[in-house]
Amino acid sequence: MALTDVVLTEILQGVRDDRAATRTQERLSAFDMLRLEQLNDFTRAASLYREARAKGVTIRRTLDCLIASV
């Protein structure tokens, strides 16, 4: 099981207070972290978006394709 850096951010944004955020971050640090690092991650995200669109599916958020590209 792994998380992306973007998913970690989204999870921590949803936590109500700093204490809970610290606790949540400590627990999630046990998982491998997948990071958006190279230009290829971003071009793959664009490709995923185009593939979905060609199949009649419109992805609402670019961020979802970035997460999937990792």
Side-chain angles (χ1 to χ4, degrees):
M1 186 114 155
L3 293 171
T4 66
D5 45 6
V6 175
V7 170
L8 175 63
T9 301
E10 289 181 332
I11 291 170
L12 293 176
Q13 285 174 338
V15 178
R16 293 190 181 271
D17 59 63
D18 289 343
R19 184 173 177 221
T22 299
R23 194 170 53 244
T24 301
Q25 185 174 355
E26 288 171 355
R27 290 182 179 153
L28 293 177
S29 69
F31 297 101
D32 289 334
M33 189 64 55
L34 306 175
R35 297 174 186 263
L36 292 163
E37 293 180 344
Q38 299 184 15
L39 186 58
N40 189 44
D41 295 327
F42 297 90
T43 57
R44 187 172 37 246
S47 178
L48 289 170
Y49 181 90
R50 287 192 311 274
E51 286 179 42
R53 188 176 57 198
K55 294 178 181 178
V57 176
T58 301
I59 306 298
R60 289 186 13 206
R61 295 177 9 178
T62 300
L63 203 53
D64 292 334
C65 291
L66 288 167
I67 291 167
S69 75
V70 179

